[in-house]
């Protein structure tokens, strides 16, 4: 699984997707990451597999968000 990206603006190849600015989960194993290159400050979006180190965190956040939303449905 690839967890590094190459910046299309400056060519730096050491960008780690785990240092993302934002992430939109598309599937349990795939996300759209937005990063800022630490070398040239370019904003980059890339669809990448979710690193295994983040999967548990992502699943927990999704469960927590779902529980929070469901708790308020009856109050609308």
């Amino acid at each position: 699984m690839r967890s590094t990206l190459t910046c299309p603006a400056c060519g730096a190849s050491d960008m780690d997707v785990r240092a993302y600015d934002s992430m939109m989960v598309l599937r349990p194993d795939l996300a759209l990451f937005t990063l800022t290159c630490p070398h040239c400050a370019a904003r980059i979006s890339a669809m990448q597999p979710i690193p295994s180190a983040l999967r548990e965190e992502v699943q927990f956040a999704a469960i927590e968000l779902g529980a929070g939303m469901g708790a308020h449905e009856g109050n609308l």
Side-chain angles (χ1 to χ4, degrees), residues 7 10 12 15 35-44:
C7 177
C10 72
M15 295 178 53
L35 306 106
T36 302
C37 177
H39 305 285
C40 70
R43 299 270 300 163
I44 298 145

Side-chain angles (χ1 to χ4, degrees), residues 13-63:
S13 60
D14 61 348
M15 295 178 53
D16 189 343
V17 296
R18 291 172 293 184
Y20 62 91
D21 296 329
S22 66
M23 175 178 59
M24 179 173 44
V25 177
L26 305 172
R27 297 188 324 222
D29 63 335
L30 186 68
L32 178 64
F33 291 90
T34 303
L35 306 106
T36 302
C37 177
H39 305 285
C40 70
R43 299 270 300 163
I44 298 145
S45 294
M47 205 172 344
Q48 292 286 308
I50 299 172
S52 57
L54 290 177
R55 284 194 185 147
E56 186 175 319
E57 193 174 315
V58 168
Q59 290 172 351
F60 178 76
I63 291 168

